[in-house]
Amino acid sequence: MKNLILVFAISAFSFSILSFTGSENIPIAPKSGGENTFVIPTDVQNIIDNSCYGCHNSESSSTKGKMKLNFDKLADLKVSKQVGKLMKISKVVKKGNMPPEKFLKKYPENALSQEETDKLTSWADGLTKELSGE
Amino acid sequence: MKKVIYIIVAILIIIQFIPANLPEISSDNPNDLLTNNPDISEDIAQILRASCYDCHSNETYYPWYSYFAPISFLVSRDTKVGREELNFSDWESYKKTEKAGALDGISDLIAEGEMPMKIYTIIHRDDALSESEIEIMVNWADEFAESLFE
């Protein structure tokens, strides 16, 4: 619990600093300050921004994409849902089902490298463990 | 024309000899979702059994036509993949995180109309989910997941 508060405080603090700087590099996901806010490390955040966030955000034109996973709302979800989403992220990325082929045809430079895949999935797996206490 | 029909019939006869390897049926499943969770309401249990269990449990019901190629090939593949993705007969052996992942998937795929699969409901018309059944299932999956983390 203490950890969560600390994490929340740190993320709120860093977010407010970033907002002040008015920089373009404001962490995009998850920006809503839900109860279970967690810090996404910058390197993972960059991967998400490059290869996932385009469809998985509140303004996305992909109804299905944002319904199944919306990084803007990830922090607001119940912990059970967060774990569900993280499990899915890890699974589909490991399987190579995401990002989808259609997206990669248009934006081949946004494909995940092996290193990025590993970083993203170990983040998701680690956070799954942390949130579920397993 | 006659020749074409002969060829098709011959092919249909020949493919009957290719084993379809339909996944085995077992009614003895100590880790089954429904037997271990009597709190699940009868409505939901019925929907699960009718619309999900054929592919997502060991209690598959194979109608007579599912033994004939090429239908048997499709049924075999879908049942195999279905059980690999989620097998309600093994539910109690899943970790909490796996259950949460499965329930989130159930919620999303049913809400999006991706499950049950079209190819299944075309044949099993009565097992397609109505709007109200979809709502019931989505709410159930979300609440069940939440209860695991309380």
Side-chain angles (χ1 to χ4, degrees), chain B residues 2-3 9 20 26 29 56 70 84-86 89 96 106 109 111-112 119 124 139 145:
Chain B
K2 244 187 178 172
K3 226 181 178 179
V9 171
S26 161
N29 302 297
H56 294 290
E84 275 166 13
E85 283 291 325
L86 166 64
S89 299
K96 187 163 83 169
I106 293 170
L109 294 176
E112 285 289 306
I119 195 163
H124 303 81
N139 290 337

Side-chain angles (χ1 to χ4, degrees), chain B residues 7 55 60 67 70 74-75 77 121 132 142:
Chain B
I7 291 169
C55 292
T60 310
Y67 291 100
L74 288 179
V75 174
R77 189 203 55 194
T121 51
S132 64
D142 290 345

Side-chain angles (χ1 to χ4, degrees), chain A residues 64 68 81 85 91 134, chain B residues 85 96 104 108 114:
Chain A
K64 207 195 215 176
K68 287 188 176 171
K81 278 268 169 195
K85 300 300 176 200
K91 192 171 167 184
E134 252 182 8
Chain B
E85 283 291 325
K96 187 163 83 169
D104 183 53
D108 284 352
E114 288 174 46

